[in-house]
Amino acid sequence: VEAWRQRRQWVVFMVALVLFWSRASAQLRYSISEELKEGTVVGNIAKDLGIDLSTLKERGFRIVSGSTEPPFQVNQNDGILYLHRKIDREEACERSSVCLINMKTVLENPLEIHYVSVEVLDVNDHSPSFPEKEKRLEIFESALPGARFQLQPARDPDGGIYSVQQYKLSQSDHFRLEVKDRGKDGKIPILNLQKPLDREALKRHKLLLTAIDGDKPPKSGTIELLVDVLDVNDNMPVFTKELYSVTLNENSPIGTTVIQVNATDLDEGSNGEIIYSFGSNVNSKLRELFEVDAISGEIIVKGWIDFEIEDSYEIDIQASDKGSAPLTADKSVTVKIVDLNDNAPEIEVTSFSNAIPEDSRPGTTVALISVSDEDSGLNGKLLCSISDGVPFTLTPSSQDNMYSVVTQSPLDREKQSEYDLTIVAKDAGQPSLSSVKTISVVVSDVNDNSPEFSLSPYTFYITENNHPGASVFCVSASDCDINENALISYHILRDGGDDNKWASFLNINSENGNILALKSFDVETLKTFKFQVVATDSGTSSLSSNVTVNVFILDQNDNAPVILYPVSANGSAEGMEEIPRNVNAGHLVTKVRAYDADIGYNGWLLFSLQEVTDHSLFALDRYTGQIRTLRSFTETDEAEHKLVILVKDNGNVSLSATATVIINVVEPKEAFAVSDVKSAVKDEEENSVTFYLIITLGSVSALFIISIIVLIVMQCSKAPVDSSKYLQDVNYDGTLCHSIQYRSGDKRYMLVGPRMSIGSTIVPGSNGNTLVVPDHRRRASGEVRS
């Protein structure tokens, strides 16, 4: 027998290892027997779910425990579910026909959740037993055949076929056994009187009651029944109703009357007086919740009634008379508990990722939420919602009362970096109850923003003659991202193109954008240039942007005026002029010509007489450098005059140069002869000037040519009016007196005035900013009519 039992247990153990698949609701189900040793293998969850074993540990494969720790554990190396502690089915699932232990398993990153149910199979490890070894019954001899006496049933903690299945009574001529099936309360043995008792024949009947379970071979337990035959009182109490049933609200106050039972007895006196009490099979839990008024038969609430603990009760009430040999009657009262909405929903966050990248796609799972309510019906029907105004939503899971918090729309950390999500669970009871839970979700940064410069384009001005290696200006860019994604470095774009050829003379601090000039700039050589700076962030996939920097060189007064006429010789500018003695006042003797390589006020020249032999004879125009006679010559005037002219610019610290002009006064006949020679020289020089003027004008822009032509036309139209008093020659040549600068785009222009000769040209050394009149030595044609 013992060998057969061991073989049977081994078969049960092998059956427990067989995997039971139930793909509905994506749930695994296994079966094991109770009382197995710790470490017993239940099943391979990873294999049954098709999960790669190599990723289990990395993804944190685990069992999510609730309020109580499950008696199982999972191995993260091979995915095997094994028994962590021994299970007693009777302790784990009291009075349950099917013992299921439900668990949730979770794999993180990416998040997966699976449901596992383990059914604990019963093992017949208990024998039926009675509360007492001996039971004494007293039966009046007047008891009629058919009288029934309910006995206290045997208890067997095992379930199913291993619980009490039948009762057997030892051989008796007066009694037989009946068994009443009370559903979840099991089978109740009832002793039935078959024929009348005779106390004088036999005062005491000894019976043996045996309780047997359904195992093979069965287990059993016995109790000895001692039936004492009493005299007289031959009527039993009878309940007025065949069935007693009542409903009771949970949480009813102590002292509330549940129902009143009533029984009658045909006997008189004490044999007909009835007292009420609990039946012999009422357990201690019922006695803590209810009490019976012995006189009135009222069942009264004594303890806390909770629907969530038990939804109905079946109470055995016994009516007994007061006869010397009291007779009793038993009646079952069914009390159904009405559920009230007295439990608020519970919200549990089973898995949560508190940080989510801002480039996560809509539908990305952030958290798993489970909600529960201990109430039933509408009181336990839950509706879950999430706070408004957030880019998240709740998605119901295939498992009841499970929700996923997922992204609903794209996220942008630069607009909002953190969200407080309020989860509200509300039941459908009246009035409804609700619970609130708040979780914080942090949006992590992704490098999705390029650096942005504070200006585009940049325009900077540098004074020429700057110190090489010194910082000249600074560019700055910002990035809306954070940390490494917002760490910016700068560099100058050096692509070898014409636009960036000057970038080689610059260097930039990669950290702060300070730009250093590696050379000293000269406005007379370079007036403006541009280059490009690139800002790059330090993200994993770095982003960059560039900006154009326009640089304009500002002039300094670093060039002294240069005398063009008189021509310099041996380090000094000195020239000689001859004029007839008979010239009138206002006669143009000559003109001192000069230019300055600087621009603006630094290149604006002023002429003054530093030394003159006779102040009454000659005057110098301050702006044009023209020397004219103030009066006619007299016989007493000297024939030779020396004029020293000072030419200086308008810089803050002005620079200057001097020129000496010797004027010889000759008789008219000699002047005519000299005039013929000078005319020939003038024609030759003018032809040469015309050739260079054509080449120069062809190299400038169309806009500048139009401006020059307009100015020439304006000056020509004014020349006869302004100079007719003194000049008769249409080829009169003026001198640059002052200039007005203006800018168009990145070009700088100079307008000259008040007069400019048609024969004027631009000296290459002046960078096109100073117009210089060619040196014609002598202009007799302007002085003496041919």
Side-chain angles (χ1 to χ4, degrees):
V1 175
E2 184 63 23
W4 183 89
R5 178 172 295 179
Q6 290 180 354
R7 287 196 300 273
R8 179 180 175 276
Q9 290 181 348
W10 175 253
V11 171
V12 173
F13 173 73
M14 293 303 294
V15 171
L17 300 179
V18 177
L19 175 65
F20 181 81
W21 279 95
S22 177
R23 295 307 295 174
S25 301
Q27 183 169 340
L28 292 176
R29 184 164 175 171
Y30 300 96
S31 296
I32 65 168
S33 297
E34 65 173 337
E35 303 297 336
L36 293 178
K37 295 181 180 180
E38 294 180 8
T40 301
V41 175
V42 178
N44 193 323
I45 298 178
K47 179 180 179 182
D48 296 336
L49 293 175
I51 301 173
D52 188 2
L53 296 179
S54 62
T55 63
L56 290 179
K57 196 166 187 179
E58 180 182 350
R59 296 179 64 187
F61 188 43
R62 59 189 175 85
I63 295 176
V64 179
S65 60
S67 57
T68 59
E69 183 179 0
F72 303 97
Q73 285 190 356
V74 64
N75 191 321
Q76 291 189 350
N77 294 320
D78 54 17
I80 291 178
L81 182 69
Y82 64 94
L83 192 62
H84 179 55
R85 67 172 185 270
K86 186 182 292 186
I87 299 176
D88 185 354
R89 182 184 182 279
E90 287 70 37
E91 179 183 347
C93 304
E94 183 180 4
R95 302 182 69 183
S96 296
S97 59
V98 178
C99 183
L100 284 178
I101 298 178
N102 296 315
M103 297 171 291
K104 291 179 283 190
T105 62
V106 172
L107 290 97
E108 304 282 356
N109 192 25
L111 185 63
E112 290 183 25
I113 184 168
H114 301 280
Y115 301 90
V116 179
S117 295
V118 179
E119 180 182 4
V120 180
L121 302 177
D122 192 25
V123 174
N124 192 18
D125 54 346
H126 296 87
S127 297
S129 62
F130 291 90
E132 301 172 323
K133 295 294 183 180
E134 180 182 282
K135 177 67 176 176
R136 186 180 296 273
L137 297 176
E138 294 181 343
I139 303 176
F140 288 97
E141 62 177 351
S142 59
L144 299 175
R148 302 167 73 242
F149 304 95
Q150 183 170 307
L151 304 175
Q152 193 165 6
R155 298 297 180 188
D156 191 338
D158 297 322
I161 63 172
Y162 301 134
S163 63
V164 175
Q165 298 298 311
Q166 59 178 321
Y167 291 91
K168 288 184 179 180
L169 187 65
S170 61
Q171 180 63 35
S172 173
D173 295 331
H174 291 83
F175 300 93
R176 69 179 180 86
L177 185 67
E178 292 181 4
V179 179
K180 181 181 179 182
D181 193 348
R182 294 285 294 273
K184 63 181 180 181
D185 290 331
K187 301 179 184 299
I188 307 298
I190 300 174
L191 194 62
N192 195 311
L193 183 62
Q194 285 187 314
K195 65 181 183 178
L197 298 173
D198 187 1
R199 180 179 178 277
E200 289 69 30
L202 183 63
K203 183 179 180 180
R204 175 176 287 182
H205 296 265
K206 292 185 178 181
L207 304 173
L208 186 64
L209 179 63
T210 304
I212 304 171
D213 65 17
D215 199 1
K216 293 181 180 180
K219 293 184 178 182
S220 62
T222 60
I223 185 173
E224 186 178 24
L225 300 178
L226 300 177
V227 182
D228 292 331
V229 181
L230 303 178
D231 205 23
V232 266
N233 196 16
D234 56 352
N235 288 290
M236 294 191 313
V238 177
F239 285 93
T240 57
K241 289 184 180 180
E242 185 66 28
L243 179 65
Y244 285 95
S245 180
V246 69
T247 59
L248 176 66
N249 290 335
E250 67 172 329
N251 305 327
S252 294
I254 295 175
T256 301
T257 298
V258 180
I259 194 173
Q260 184 178 16
V261 297
N262 188 30
T264 62
D265 195 314
L266 298 177
D267 295 324
E268 293 181 354
S270 61
N271 292 331
E273 293 180 8
I274 298 175
I275 58 174
Y276 301 92
S277 64
F278 285 116
S280 59
N281 67 326
V282 174
N283 57 36
S284 59
K285 290 184 179 179
L286 281 175
R287 296 176 185 271
E288 293 174 357
L289 296 176
F290 303 97
E291 63 181 354
V292 180
D293 189 299
I295 305 302
S296 65
E298 291 181 342
I299 300 177
I300 301 171
V301 175
K302 180 183 177 183
W304 180 45
I305 307 300
D306 190 358
F307 175 87
E308 285 70 44
I309 296 178
E310 192 72 44
D311 60 354
S312 67
Y313 297 95
E314 193 164 348
I315 307 172
D316 288 334
I317 302 298
Q318 187 180 79
S320 177
D321 59 31
K322 294 183 179 180
S324 57
L327 298 178
T328 61
D330 295 296
K331 182 64 68 175
S332 291
V333 178
T334 302
V335 180
K336 295 181 179 178
I337 308 302
V338 178
D339 182 41
L340 298 180
N341 192 21
D342 60 341
N343 291 281
E346 294 183 359
I347 303 174
E348 179 186 1
V349 180
T350 60
S351 186
F352 175 49
S353 300
N354 62 345
I356 182 171
E358 61 178 318
D359 62 347
S360 298
R361 294 183 178 180
T364 301
T365 300
V366 178
L368 292 178
I369 306 295
S370 64
V371 293
S372 60
D373 196 317
E374 294 182 354
D375 296 320
S376 62
L378 290 178
N379 296 331
K381 188 70 175 178
L382 299 178
L383 179 64
C384 207
S385 62
I386 196 169
S387 53
D388 296 331
V390 295
F392 299 90
T393 188
L394 283 179
T395 302
S397 176
S398 58
Q399 188 78 6
D400 289 342
N401 293 331
M402 288 292 299
Y403 295 87
S404 299
V405 179
V406 299
T407 56
Q408 188 178 26
S409 59
L411 304 175
D412 189 352
R413 188 208 62 83
E414 287 68 42
K415 292 182 179 178
Q416 188 165 350
S417 60
E418 186 173 355
Y419 294 91
D420 290 329
L421 307 183
T422 302
I423 312 297
V424 179
K426 184 177 182 181
D427 61 31
Q430 292 296 330
S432 64
L433 300 177
S434 62
S435 296
V436 176
K437 193 174 189 68
T438 301
I439 60 176
S440 295
V441 179
V442 177
V443 181
S444 59
D445 186 48
V446 173
N447 191 22
D448 57 349
N449 290 280
S450 300
E452 293 184 2
F453 284 93
S454 56
L455 294 174
S456 182
Y458 279 95
T459 299
F460 294 107
Y461 298 89
I462 305 176
T463 303
E464 66 173 334
N465 303 321
N466 55 290
H467 295 291
S471 176
V472 289
F473 45 78
C474 179
V475 297
S476 177
S478 60
D479 197 311
C480 296
D481 297 318
I482 59 174
N483 300 328
E484 293 297 323
N485 296 331
L487 187 60
I488 297 176
S489 61
Y490 303 88
H491 71 274
I492 296 175
L493 185 63
R494 308 182 192 275
D495 58 1
D498 291 339
D499 290 342
N500 280 341
K501 64 180 180 179
W502 295 100
S504 59
F505 297 104
L506 301 172
N507 199 2
I508 189 169
N509 188 316
S510 62
E511 295 181 356
N512 57 27
N514 284 334
I515 296 178
L516 312 178
L518 302 180
K519 64 166 289 184
S520 179
F521 294 103
D522 183 9
V523 73
E524 287 75 36
T525 303
L526 176 67
K527 294 179 176 57
T528 180
F529 65 92
K530 62 182 178 180
F531 62 97
Q532 288 188 326
V533 176
V534 179
T536 305
D537 61 33
S538 301
T540 303
S541 298
S542 62
L543 301 176
S544 62
S545 60
N546 58 351
V547 67
T548 299
V549 180
N550 296 312
V551 182
F552 294 93
I553 312 300
L554 300 180
D555 184 54
Q556 277 190 334
N557 193 22
D558 58 344
N559 289 279
V562 177
I563 306 298
L564 297 178
Y565 179 79
V567 178
S568 297
N570 298 324
S572 63
E574 184 174 340
M576 184 175 293
E577 295 288 340
E578 292 182 353
I579 60 172
R581 184 178 288 275
N582 60 350
V583 296
N584 297 322
H587 176 75
L588 177 63
V589 178
T590 187
K591 182 168 70 175
V592 177
R593 299 175 181 85
Y595 83 96
D596 194 316
D598 296 320
I599 61 176
Y601 283 98
N602 295 330
W604 184 6
L605 301 181
L606 296 177
F607 300 85
S608 63
L609 283 174
Q610 190 176 26
E611 182 182 341
V612 60
T613 54
D614 191 346
H615 288 283
S616 64
L617 264 178
F618 302 99
L620 175 67
D621 190 294
R622 178 177 178 81
Y623 302 106
T624 64
Q626 293 178 348
I627 301 174
R628 294 180 181 273
T629 58
L630 292 174
R631 60 179 176 81
S632 300
F633 289 94
T634 63
E635 294 297 331
T636 59
D637 290 330
E638 295 183 0
E640 183 178 291
H641 299 272
K642 179 180 179 182
L643 283 72
V644 178
I645 294 91
L646 175 65
V647 183
K648 66 178 182 177
D649 56 32
N650 275 272
N652 290 332
V653 179
S654 62
L655 302 177
S656 61
T658 58
T660 302
V661 177
I662 306 298
I663 301 175
N664 291 321
V665 181
V666 298
E667 296 302 324
K669 291 182 180 181
E670 296 177 4
F672 281 121
V674 173
S675 176
D676 293 337
V677 175
K678 289 184 177 182
S679 296
V681 174
K682 173 185 174 183
D683 292 339
E684 181 180 351
E685 290 179 351
E686 288 183 350
N687 290 335
S688 176
V689 169
T690 302
F691 174 75
Y692 289 113
L693 179 62
I694 293 173
I695 295 176
T696 304
L697 293 177
S699 64
V700 298
S701 65
L703 179 61
F704 189 70
I705 295 176
I706 294 173
S707 300
I708 295 298
I709 294 174
V710 171
L711 290 174
I712 292 174
V713 171
M714 292 175 63
Q715 294 301 322
C716 290
S717 62
K718 294 180 180 180
V721 177
D722 296 337
S723 60
S724 59
K725 181 177 180 179
Y726 305 106
L727 304 177
Q728 293 78 33
D729 190 356
V730 296
N731 294 324
Y732 166 73
D733 179 51
T735 299
L736 172 65
C737 60
H738 65 278
S739 64
I740 301 174
Q741 298 184 50
Y742 72 97
R743 185 185 304 277
S744 175
D746 59 350
K747 298 182 180 296
R748 182 177 294 181
Y749 300 97
M750 176 181 290
L751 298 181
V752 296
R755 303 179 187 89
M756 182 175 68
S757 170
I758 297 177
S760 302
T761 185
I762 299 174
V763 177
S766 68
N767 295 307
N769 291 298
T770 304
L771 294 179
V772 181
V773 179
D775 183 14
H776 294 305
R777 294 286 180 174
R778 303 185 65 183
R779 302 186 181 276
S781 62
E783 303 167 2
V784 180
R785 186 179 301 274
S786 300

